[in-house]
Amino acid sequence: MKLKKVASSELTPTTPFDFDSTFHKPDHFTTGDNYWEPGTRWQTWFWQGIPLGLKLANAWTRVKPKINIDVWSPRPLTREFTDSLTAEIRYRYNLDLDLTDFYRKFKADKILGPVIRKWQGMRPGHPSSLYEYLIIGIVLQNATVRRSIQMFKSLLEKYGTPLEFDGRKLWCFWSPGRLSTVIEQELRDLKVGYRAKSIKKIDEYFTAGAMDEMALRQKDRETQMTELLKLYGVGPATVWYLLFDVFHHWDFFNHVSPWEQKIYSKVFFDQDPEKPVPVKKLLKHFAKFGAYKQLAVHYIWEDLWWKRKNEHIPWLEKLIKV
DNA sequence: CATCAGGGCCCTG
DNA sequence: CAGGGCCCTGAT
């Protein structure tokens, strides 16, 4: 589907702001729906029934951060529509987040301090809706990065929409309900294995209107967790990701998966990843970051993945199997 | 060639 | 509450 450029606007994030580390997370494996180069991110975005192409560009002025947004669409958009879209972009990328308290508290930390200085202005964030993230969460389960990418790609190219905009071809996520006529075997043929059942049930759940993302955002963390755990195929690991990436809780840290455990052991304790520090001890260590536990680890985690882009880190390569 | 461990979760006993 | 089964893939 060829899209036309229908709107442009600009966003002003809070200061400090760093474009590249906010709009490119080297550890986010999703491919085919976005493209990044320094200063620019292209992203497909299914919003209120319309598949869109977005281009976000760094437009820092001498004094303050600014992001230019261009929107491509199959049809004209109302002002109301683009306003809600930009509000959602602000939300998903945490462009209104005030980082000053976090920085003030931990700028002297031995490990976090230098990372904070290096990534001054980086926001946590994820471009996906709850529904989209759930699908991503499911393909992350019990699989290495390479396999997750392969499953995601198969799904996206089977049920998504190919979009052409700004000289790029990217796939746009399908909408909830798209899988209602799809039988489980068809999903299994995409080599998602037992996850087919979860994907199918999550799609059904949304189609039935049993999950309202916007309403859930207004609830407290416990309620969000309870609601999410009702979904078939969603357990503690997936909920932990969701609470951070989709619901933006910076303080919640109750889960460490085996591969992450090995990486944290090396980074925080310089411990041989093959003899990892017990999860309990890691969680106890993160407690010192108080209300910013997840945010703190996000900073260190992203720093590690950015390093990996520029240098070979043998111990890390062994663990991630991309 | 066979076996096994992955970025879990559900279900059974 | 512990532990088996589920899927595919790459490593050994």
Side-chain angles (χ1 to χ4, degrees):
Chain A
M1 192 192 298
K2 273 206 167 125
L3 306 181
K4 284 205 175 92
K5 189 164 156 183
V6 294
S8 291
S9 61
E10 48 186 54
L11 288 180
T12 307
T14 45
T15 308
F17 173 71
D18 182 61
F19 184 92
D20 288 320
S21 59
T22 298
F23 289 112
H24 180 61
K25 308 285 184 189
D27 56 312
H28 286 182
F29 76 92
T30 47
T31 50
D33 71 327
N34 74 85
Y35 187 81
W36 168 84
E37 63 186 37
T40 313
R41 182 182 176 103
W42 291 264
Q43 173 79 51
T44 61
W45 196 288
F46 191 86
W47 186 240
Q48 295 181 359
I50 306 180
L52 303 171
L54 302 184
K55 180 186 184 178
L56 307 169
N58 191 5
W60 254 94
T61 64
R62 199 171 53 83
V63 285
K64 66 173 185 181
K66 206 170 71 149
I67 302 160
N68 285 338
I69 302 183
D70 294 325
V71 184
W72 282 260
S73 163
R75 55 179 192 265
L77 305 173
T78 63
R79 179 61 192 269
E80 223 181 341
F81 182 99
T82 49
D83 283 352
S84 74
L85 173 68
T86 48
E88 185 65 6
I89 294 169
R90 290 194 90 90
Y91 172 80
R92 292 194 194 172
Y93 283 106
N94 294 291
L95 301 182
D96 294 309
L97 182 64
D98 182 358
L99 290 159
T100 49
D101 185 53
F102 172 58
Y103 289 165
R104 190 174 49 77
K105 284 199 167 96
F106 300 109
K107 63 176 188 248
D109 184 85
K110 208 177 126 205
I111 293 177
L112 187 53
V115 174
I116 282 176
R117 277 188 288 282
K118 189 166 163 195
W119 298 109
Q120 193 78 220
M122 172 174 72
R123 309 302 161 90
H126 200 283
S128 308
S129 68
L130 174 59
Y131 174 85
E132 293 161 359
Y133 199 105
L134 280 163
I135 304 293
I136 293 169
I138 298 292
V139 301
L140 284 170
Q141 293 169 8
N142 233 15
T144 55
V145 177
R146 192 201 310 266
R147 180 146 139 74
S148 293
I149 291 174
Q150 183 237 316
M151 288 187 279
F152 180 72
K153 199 165 173 285
S154 309
L155 287 164
L156 192 64
E157 296 183 3
K158 177 102 183 177
Y159 304 113
T161 313
L163 301 181
E164 275 186 65
F165 66 101
D166 200 31
R168 307 211 161 258
K169 288 183 188 176
L170 294 170
W171 291 85
C172 188
F173 222 101
W174 65 92
S175 55
R178 169 69 183 84
L179 306 179
S180 57
T181 56
V182 173
I183 57 164
E184 194 183 313
Q185 188 55 46
E186 188 178 307
L187 290 168
R188 290 182 108 87
D189 291 342
L190 300 175
K191 299 184 175 181
V192 299
Y194 66 90
R195 299 167 193 81
K197 193 174 168 188
S198 310
I199 293 171
K200 188 73 186 126
K201 279 181 176 266
I202 282 170
D203 188 68
E204 277 167 15
Y205 208 77
F206 275 75
T207 312
M211 186 63 82
D212 181 342
E213 176 176 5
M214 295 306 172
L216 198 53
R217 281 186 198 171
Q218 305 306 319
K219 310 281 191 199
D220 59 78
R221 194 184 69 205
E222 286 304 314
T223 309
Q224 292 170 346
M225 201 171 357
T226 314
E227 286 302 308
L228 294 168
L229 286 169
K230 285 182 188 166
L231 296 169
Y232 185 92
V234 174
T238 307
V239 159
W240 177 72
Y241 283 131
L242 285 163
L243 287 177
F244 181 70
D245 278 327
V246 179
F247 293 97
H248 303 176
H249 292 285
W250 315 137
D251 59 335
F252 186 67
F253 216 119
N254 75 332
H255 186 272
V256 180
S257 64
W259 74 298
E260 288 165 339
Q261 178 191 9
K262 290 175 189 168
I263 294 176
Y264 295 153
S265 299
K266 173 70 181 166
V267 173
F268 288 96
F269 292 90
D270 195 24
Q271 180 91 10
D272 178 359
E274 294 313 313
K275 296 178 196 122
V277 175
V279 168
K280 260 180 105 171
K281 192 174 168 187
L282 288 170
L283 291 177
K284 211 173 159 189
H285 182 75
F286 297 152
K288 74 171 173 178
F289 298 120
Y292 302 109
K293 287 189 272 292
Q294 242 320 6
L295 195 56
V297 174
H298 177 71
Y299 263 69
I300 285 155
W301 188 256
E302 291 304 316
D303 179 51
L304 182 63
W305 285 81
W306 275 100
K307 268 188 198 148
R308 180 176 172 268
K309 278 181 97 87
N310 305 317
E311 57 181 285
H312 185 64
I313 311 173
W315 67 265
L316 185 60
E317 292 308 310
K318 247 178 86 180
L319 295 175
I320 59 186
K321 299 180 192 157
V322 176

